[in-house]
Every structure is written in structure tokens, then in C-alpha cells.
Amino acid sequence: MKHLLIFVFFLAATFQVTAQKYITKTGAIQFYSEGAIEKIEAINKQVNAALDIKSGDMVFKVVIKSFEFEKALMQEHFNENYLESDKFPNASFVGKVINIDKMDFSKDGKYEADITGKITIHGVTKDISTKGSLESKNGKITGHSVFNILVKDFKIEIPGAVVKNIAESIEITVNIALDKLK
Amino acid sequence: MKKWIKILLIIAGLGIAAGIMGYIFVYNKSHPDFENLSSDYALKASELFTEFKVDAIKAQAKYNGKMVQINGQLMNKELNDTMAIAVFVFEQGMFGDEGIRCTMLPTAVDNLKVTESGAEVVIKGYLTGYNEVDIIMEKCSMLKSE
């Protein structure tokens, strides 16, 4: 609940102060891990994301149950045993593109983005810094980033029987296509 | 053949059969047939949205992970190469439109395409959650449009 209130407050502040907001409701977040026996991957294509191109403020909101797996059993285990999505239904990122002042979105161009902020998964909030790209083209902004997180950092417990099947590090890939908020 | 060898072979055979059955029916089981699942709840889209706005935690506990049937006025359609989304809108907020977003099953995409925005529709889908802006439903099918 605390994180939810922080998110709503942050979003409210962000959206009232300036007018240069870009959003999407169909952002894609994919995760991938290569365990000893098989790979595990899933994708969520209903991710909310917003970027303020003046301040660099950036937010993501992710509904955990919207991650789709190829195997139904993996999806069940992901929701029931690992992410406990009934207890922690959402994940979020609240942060900033710290070098946004070096980008000019009034014309086409692609920039490397330095991103820092707080990521919340499974009810655990961690500081994170990563790199990505932002590209302005035909009035749209597309964003891309790939980074890794450690399962143990978010208190996600893997049962001993399958611990060797699941990698300790999960690769997260983010792709967003943002439109100017009307 | 000695009796104990026969017993061992039978046990081994049963073990292999159990393994194959487990792989097929448990490990490799298919996703639910969402189109033919019955709904856990059926209500107006506006009522569902109000429940989430009034008490999101209570509504998430009630509806997340359930098949929900909603009826109401289709406000927007978002169609691209990979997704077709039926959109119900009830408020304007920080992300623009706020309401219910229903990602259609591949078999239901054509139904959405031929349905006019503004039509009264009945849609059934798997409610995955609420992101403080929209209620998200996946694997949706169109039961009725007029």
C-alpha cells in the first residue's frame, strides 16, 4: 500500500507540473533465464509506462498475472510459488533518466539513456541503475533496455528440488513505444 | 525368468509410464481453454471499474485471476499486428483514458474488428489485475455485440 501511494503521488506530481509527457499502456517487458535443464521466459505486453521528457521522470507499472509463459505449469508456479501474485499483484519502477537534458526530442535522434531509480518486485524495493536507449522518430519515443536482477534480492524463494533449474540471475528486457499524452 | 526380475521390470515399466503421463498431463499441460471457461462473475463494466476505484485491494482479492464477464459500451479499439484490445473508458486521469482494457484471443480479433466503437458489447476474459489506471483483462472473447 505504501508503494502504491508513493507511485500515485509521484505520478500526480509528475503530470501536473509539466506538459511534456509521453505514455504507453502497451509496453512490453520480457524476462529470460537459462537454467541447467531448460530456459524460462515470459512476456507481458500490457505494461503502463510514462516519461517526462523535461525532468526525465519515468514510471512503469506492471501487472504480474499478465506475464505469459509458453508452459502453463511454469505460469502457475511463477504466480503461486515464486512471485505470489495474489499477495503482490504489481511490480513497479519509479526513477529518472538522469541525462535527459542532453537529448532533443523535437527532432529525430537516438540517445543512450542513463536510468536510475527504485524497482519493486515481490513487495521488495531495490535501488537500480542501468543503461538503455531512447529514440525519437516521427513524434514517437521508443525505449529499450536490458538489465539483470538477482532472484534472491527480491526474496523470491526457489524450492530446493528445482533450485538448480532456475538461474540466480534473470535478464529483463524492456521495450516501449511512447506517444505524447493528449 | 525369475520372479524378482519380473517384479523389477513391472516396477520400472510403471515408473516410465508415470513419467510419461506426468510429462504430458502435468509438466507439459496446456493452458486453459479460456474461450470455453465459464465466468466466475458477470456484471456491468462500469460497476467493475467502480469496485476497483473504491477499494482496489478488496477488488483485486476478489477478481484477480478470475474469469469475468462484463457488459457495457465499447469506447475504443486498439488494433496492431500482434494485439487487439477492446477498451472501456470511464474516467480521465494522469494516463489519459482510465477504464478496462481487454486483450482479445486470436479467435476473437475479427469480432472486435467488425464491432463499431460505441456499440454495446458483452466480453468475457481472464482478469489479471489493476495498475491504478486500468483494469487488465486477457484472453478475452466477444459474447455479444449490437
Side-chain angles (χ1 to χ4, degrees):
Chain A
M1 190 63 191
K2 184 182 162 194
H3 296 306
L4 168 62
L5 289 173
I6 291 169
F7 173 76
V8 171
F9 177 79
F10 178 88
L11 209 56
T14 300
F15 276 73
Q16 284 168 2
V17 174
T18 67
Q20 295 295 309
K21 309 298 178 304
Y22 284 74
I23 66 158
T24 182
K25 295 183 176 188
T26 53
I29 292 183
Q30 192 165 11
F31 69 76
Y32 178 85
S33 82
E34 187 110 33
I37 294 178
E38 63 185 338
K39 64 180 182 181
I40 298 169
E41 60 184 332
I43 189 164
N44 182 337
K45 296 179 182 175
Q46 290 258 45
V47 173
N48 276 23
L51 171 68
D52 182 324
I53 62 168
K54 291 292 180 197
S55 66
D57 291 337
M58 180 178 253
V59 293
F60 283 78
K61 198 71 180 173
V62 183
V63 171
I64 296 294
K65 279 189 196 290
S66 286
F67 277 101
E68 291 189 37
F69 291 69
E70 185 186 345
K71 290 190 188 302
L73 187 67
M74 274 188 195
Q75 193 161 324
E76 273 181 33
H77 287 172
F78 172 80
N79 281 297
E80 293 170 13
N81 303 337
Y82 304 147
L83 270 289
E84 300 180 276
S85 59
D86 285 337
K87 196 172 172 186
F88 307 107
N90 296 320
S92 65
F93 171 81
V94 179
K96 213 173 186 60
V97 180
I98 55 177
N99 60 338
I100 198 118
D101 57 333
K102 295 182 175 60
M103 303 175 193
D104 180 2
F105 295 107
S106 65
K107 57 185 180 184
D108 290 357
K110 188 173 184 179
Y111 308 93
E112 186 175 273
D114 296 320
I115 303 156
T116 186
K118 292 184 183 298
I119 187 169
T120 301
I121 302 170
H122 195 234
V124 178
T125 301
K126 288 274 179 190
D127 290 327
I128 188 169
S129 292
T130 188
K131 288 194 179 294
S133 65
L134 288 171
E135 182 173 14
S136 174
K137 196 170 185 181
N138 301 327
K140 275 193 166 220
I141 298 174
T142 55
H144 174 74
S145 182
V146 180
F147 59 95
N148 284 273
I149 59 167
L150 295 176
V151 169
K152 67 178 182 186
D153 283 348
F154 296 93
K155 296 184 179 171
I156 298 167
E157 292 179 13
I158 310 295
V162 294
V163 73
K164 286 184 181 173
N165 300 350
I166 298 173
E168 291 178 1
S169 177
I170 308 286
E171 182 184 272
I172 311 281
T173 302
V174 181
N175 284 299
I176 51 175
L178 303 159
D179 292 303
K180 193 172 184 179
L181 181 65
K182 291 164 187 165
Chain B
M1 192 181 290
K2 288 182 180 177
K3 192 177 177 183
W4 67 270
I5 294 178
K6 279 186 183 173
I7 292 170
L8 273 180
L9 286 173
I10 290 168
I11 291 170
L14 287 172
I16 291 167
I20 293 170
M21 299 280 274
Y23 178 79
I24 294 170
F25 294 112
V26 180
Y27 177 73
N28 217 26
K29 72 175 182 176
S30 57
H31 286 278
D33 178 6
F34 289 98
E35 193 165 4
N36 291 310
L37 284 180
S38 56
S39 302
D40 297 301
Y41 297 97
L43 69 169
K44 287 182 182 174
S46 57
E47 291 172 351
L48 181 67
F49 185 73
T50 300
E51 281 196 53
F52 275 87
K53 289 295 278 190
V54 169
D55 189 339
I57 293 173
K58 186 178 171 187
Q60 286 185 102
K62 181 177 177 183
Y63 292 109
N64 283 9
K66 303 290 186 190
M67 289 299 293
V68 180
Q69 179 181 313
I70 54 175
N71 63 284
Q73 188 179 23
L74 178 71
M75 292 302 288
N76 291 318
K77 299 184 288 181
E78 294 179 15
L79 304 167
N80 62 38
D81 293 342
T82 59
M83 293 170 79
I85 303 172
V87 183
F88 298 82
V89 179
F90 300 107
E91 286 186 7
Q92 292 297 309
M94 292 166 282
F95 267 85
D97 294 343
E98 294 187 359
I100 304 172
R101 297 172 60 81
C102 309
T103 306
M104 308 304 286
L105 283 164
T107 52
V109 170
D110 287 343
N111 275 347
L112 181 64
K113 281 181 179 172
V114 298
T115 304
E116 298 287 335
S117 292
E120 288 293 321
V121 297
V122 180
I123 286 177
K124 177 181 74 173
Y126 179 70
L127 198 151
T128 57
Y130 177 59
N131 55 27
E132 283 90 56
V133 177
D134 297 299
I135 297 164
I136 307 296
M137 289 172 60
E138 312 269 4
K139 313 293 180 190
C140 295
S141 49
M142 182 93 67
L143 301 182
K144 191 178 171 188
S145 61
E146 52 189 49

